[in-house]
């Protein structure tokens, strides 16, 4: 799949751009892994071997020149800006292994408390309107089950959606809105939207 390789090459280029900005990332990652049950800094990447027969590990991925390639151009960091503090929706401590082999697209809407009764809720995937002022953003979960050893041992992750722009458009504060969460199971051909309670996803907080 050509699109798959193009996508992941660009992800790698973004990662390399970040390493240029944060040159101590290798040490930071190594120190963090020292506190985990499984040290992913030293874990071998199967089935990838070096020319001497040893296995690649995460510590080999912080310098593309050593891997035999480099990017012509990298992303440059934007200039720092003075702006108001962002407002986030947090799905705390998501355990990827609980999703087994199902993948989900999460959509978050913010609706004014006074306008909640007037809000027309989407009923199916095609009703999701990302251009709506109420649409705050989303995230994705790539579920893996017992077949993924990394998924079973990795610590829980936080999913975060920035709702600042929607609040500004609606001219509302975080205290004046309610959250509406709609979930698509992308591993299913159905266009039905799931409720939060239909998934292992935790209740979000602002």
């Amino acid at each position: 799949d050509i699109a798959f390789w193009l996508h992941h090459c660009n992800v790698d280029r973004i990662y390399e751009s970040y390493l240029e900005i944060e040159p101590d990332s290798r040490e930071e990652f190594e120190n963090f892994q020292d506190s985990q049950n499984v040290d992913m800094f030293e874990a071998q990447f199967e089935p990838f071997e070096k020319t001497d027969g040893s296995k690649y590990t995460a510590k080999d991925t912080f310098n593309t020149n050593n891997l035999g390639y480099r990017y012509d151009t990298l992303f440059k960091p934007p200039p720092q800006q003075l702006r108001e503090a962002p407002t986030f929706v947090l799905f705390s401590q998501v355990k990827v292994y609980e999703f087994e082999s199902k993948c989900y697209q999460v959509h978050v809407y913010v609706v004014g408390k006074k306008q909640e009764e007037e809000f027309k809720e989407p009923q199916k995937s095609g009703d999701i309107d990302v251009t709506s002022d109420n649409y705050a953003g989303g995230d994705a979960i790539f579920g893996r089950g017992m077949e993924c050893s990394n998924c079973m041992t990795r610590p829980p992750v936080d999913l975060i959606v920035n709702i600042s722009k929607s609040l500004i458009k609606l001219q509302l504060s975080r205290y004046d809105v309610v959250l509406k969460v709609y979930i698509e199971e992308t591993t299913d051909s159905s266009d039905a939207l799931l409720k939060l309670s239909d998934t292992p996803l935790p209740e979000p907080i602002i």
Side-chain angles (χ1 to χ4, degrees):
D1 188 331
I2 296 175
F4 174 88
W5 291 110
L6 286 173
H7 168 69
H8 280 278
C9 282
N10 195 46
V11 170
D12 186 63
R13 188 166 71 101
I14 295 172
Y15 175 58
E16 182 65 15
S17 300
Y18 175 81
L19 294 179
E20 284 286 314
I21 300 169
E22 302 288 347
D24 63 342
S25 295
R26 188 181 193 276
E27 291 75 17
E28 182 180 346
F29 182 69
E30 181 179 11
N31 292 337
F32 174 75
Q33 289 301 317
D34 285 341
S35 66
Q36 302 302 298
N37 293 330
V38 178
D39 188 347
M40 298 303 296
F41 187 73
E42 300 284 351
Q44 296 182 345
F45 289 164
E46 296 287 354
F48 304 105
E49 292 186 353
K50 302 177 184 178
T51 54
D52 61 4
S54 61
K55 301 290 186 181
Y56 281 101
T57 67
K59 62 184 178 183
D60 298 308
T61 64
F62 291 89
N63 188 324
T64 60
N65 289 319
N66 293 340
L67 297 173
Y69 70 95
R70 66 180 178 85
Y71 292 102
D72 292 333
T73 58
L74 296 174
F75 293 97
K76 296 187 182 300
Q80 292 186 343
Q81 299 179 0
L82 183 64
R83 59 177 64 180
E84 62 183 298
T87 304
F88 297 107
V89 166
L90 169 67
F91 297 88
S92 179
Q93 298 294 283
V94 177
K95 301 177 179 65
V96 177
Y97 63 84
E98 290 184 346
F99 292 83
E100 298 177 340
S101 296
K102 296 179 180 179
C103 300
Y104 297 96
Q105 181 69 41
V106 182
H107 302 279
V108 178
Y109 284 72
V110 291
V111 180
K113 292 178 180 178
K114 295 181 179 180
Q115 291 78 39
E116 188 174 5
E117 292 185 3
E118 304 169 9
F119 178 69
K120 185 178 180 181
E121 300 202 38
Q123 302 300 313
K124 58 184 186 300
S125 296
D127 296 335
I128 296 292
D129 181 8
V130 298
T131 65
S132 167
D133 288 348
N134 297 103
Y135 186 83
D139 210 329
I141 299 169
F142 297 93
R144 295 291 184 269
M146 298 291 291
E147 72 278 6
C148 174
S149 59
N150 181 44
C151 300
M152 298 302 294
T153 56
R154 66 182 295 184
V157 298
D158 292 335
L159 297 187
I160 296 174
V161 177
N162 190 337
I163 64 172
S164 305
K165 289 184 178 180
S166 287
L167 292 177
I168 292 172
K169 289 179 182 177
L170 297 171
Q171 296 185 329
L172 295 171
S173 79
R174 54 181 290 186
Y175 305 104
D176 299 324
V177 298
V178 293
L179 299 177
K180 301 285 185 178
V181 180
Y182 307 98
I183 303 170
E184 298 177 85
E185 183 183 337
T186 56
T187 42
D188 189 346
S189 58
S190 171
D191 65 351
L193 293 173
L194 302 176
K195 298 178 181 178
L196 197 66
S197 59
D198 296 328
T199 75
L201 201 65
E203 287 285 341
I205 59 174
I206 298 178

